[in-house]
Amino acid sequence: MRLLIVGTGGMANQHAAHFKAIEGVSVVGGVDVVPERLAAFCTEHGIANHFSTLEEALAWGEFDAVANVTPDRIHHPTTLQAVAAGKHVFCEKPLATDAVKAMEMTEAIERAGKVGMVNLTYRNSPALQKGRQMVLAGEIGAVRHVEASHLQSWLVGRHWGDWKSESKWLWRLSKKHGSNGALGDIGIHIVDFASYGSGLDIAHVFARLKTFDKAPDHRIGEYDLDANDSFTMNVDFTNGAIGTIQATRTAAGQMDQLRLRVYGETGSVEIIYDTGKSSLRACLGEDVHTATWRDVPFDPVETNYQRFVQAVRAGKTQEPSFRRAANIQKVLDKALASDLSHADEALA
């Protein structure tokens, strides 16, 4: 499989390394509008072909699939171009900045009969996959209550860099630079984590978003710091269960933690991904009567990168698909609407 990487910023390095490690995959080209960044990326990863525009790369055409690692607002036009040219697409999250665009991309790639998958990276957690299996197998009975959180701290700590001076962080705080804030950036992850792990779809959302004061006049250089930093959601699931979903960039002491607890009629599971490490506990059977939690073992799972390659080779999309990401985007859009309306918003 010959792969073209579009957008050569920080996350593109992960794509290049993961795809090159898969037998039979070659990263044959890179695309970026910043020549220096493109040259450095291609040199680091031994990529022979450099293009300043996607149009140039498509005119060349010697590749099978595209890894779209452009900024969020660029996913929509570049993906549609790639699909029109008959290419499979592995897109960074979020699929698009709103559900209308995301569904347009979904329908386009499905009509074309091409593989379209989205890099919801926390699907790579083996604890999430095992916990979901337990829930779907009925080991905790019917799900009644869900609580989920995604906690980061880069607005209060410098462990990932200095957000006040680095553009790779500042754009995430600015609406005009294409950011939907914490909701758009990590909200898609924790909503997917909660919904996928519990095996349930969300029916209603009641949300609150908050943007904190972070600089004089809420601005640093060209960046207006107006995108949300934290959010909370109360949700109803389609089976009648209820839950809470929250995320923030201001959780001092938490580098990157996702936690999900799924409570059922006869037991519970707790799934944690914490800065690269996964854990899984359960309270089942007679342990329910003593509130005893026990660690649950799990096996390694394939990564999204590996699943995408398998999907292209088989000609059949695997999860997480474009359609899944578009449906999650609907939840995020409803959360934005709920924050404005101060009302519960129903998913269509």
Side-chain angles (χ1 to χ4, degrees), residues 67-291:
N68 192 338
V69 203
T70 58
D72 297 355
R73 67 184 185 279
I74 308 300
H75 291 174
H76 175 259
T78 50
T79 293
L80 290 180
Q81 284 180 273
V83 172
K87 308 300 182 182
H88 306 284
V89 180
F90 184 69
C91 190
E92 260 305 318
K93 61 80 197 168
L95 182 58
T97 53
D98 63 65
V100 172
K101 291 185 176 70
M103 194 55 67
E104 182 183 358
M105 296 158 71
T106 299
E107 292 173 351
I109 206 158
E110 289 178 352
R111 283 195 306 270
K114 296 299 177 181
V115 171
M117 293 174 60
V118 178
N119 192 25
L120 297 175
T121 53
Y122 300 100
R123 289 286 188 98
N124 300 334
S125 166
L128 175 65
Q129 298 294 344
K130 177 64 176 179
R132 170 182 162 86
Q133 289 174 13
M134 294 172 67
V135 172
L136 293 180
E139 293 188 37
I140 66 169
V143 175
R144 291 289 182 254
H145 191 93
V146 175
E147 57 175 286
S149 61
H150 193 164
L151 307 176
Q152 295 182 341
S153 58
W154 56 267
L155 283 179
V156 294
R158 292 190 294 274
H159 44 82
W160 286 3
D162 182 8
W163 69 265
K164 295 180 181 179
S165 62
E166 297 181 33
S167 61
K168 66 179 181 178
W169 301 114
L170 284 167
W171 82 264
R172 297 174 186 271
L173 307 175
S174 175
K175 291 180 181 178
K176 74 179 182 183
H177 287 82
S179 176
N180 280 334
L183 182 72
D185 187 20
I186 58 179
I188 189 168
H189 284 309
I190 193 58
V191 170
D192 179 69
F193 205 81
S195 175
Y196 183 76
S198 65
L200 302 174
D201 292 323
I202 293 172
H204 295 87
V205 177
F206 185 83
R208 283 293 173 269
L209 280 63
K210 183 67 175 181
T211 305
F212 300 107
D213 295 342
K214 298 182 289 296
D217 298 322
H218 311 288
R219 185 180 181 86
I220 295 178
E222 65 180 276
Y223 300 93
D224 295 321
L225 308 185
D226 55 355
N228 62 85
D229 303 311
S230 295
F231 72 82
T232 61
M233 294 184 197
N234 292 326
V235 302
D236 296 326
F237 294 95
T238 51
N239 78 327
I242 62 172
T244 59
I245 301 174
Q246 62 175 330
T248 185
R249 295 161 166 169
T250 64
Q254 301 291 350
M255 288 186 68
D256 187 34
Q257 185 200 77
L258 290 82
R259 190 181 82 165
L260 171 65
R261 281 183 170 175
V262 185
Y263 299 100
E265 285 183 306
T266 61
S268 304
V269 296
E270 178 189 67
I271 303 161
I272 297 178
Y273 171 95
D274 195 344
T275 321
K277 296 181 180 180
S278 292
S279 63
L280 174 63
R281 299 193 308 156
C283 181
L284 305 171
E286 292 301 309
D287 285 341
V288 170
H289 304 296
T290 57

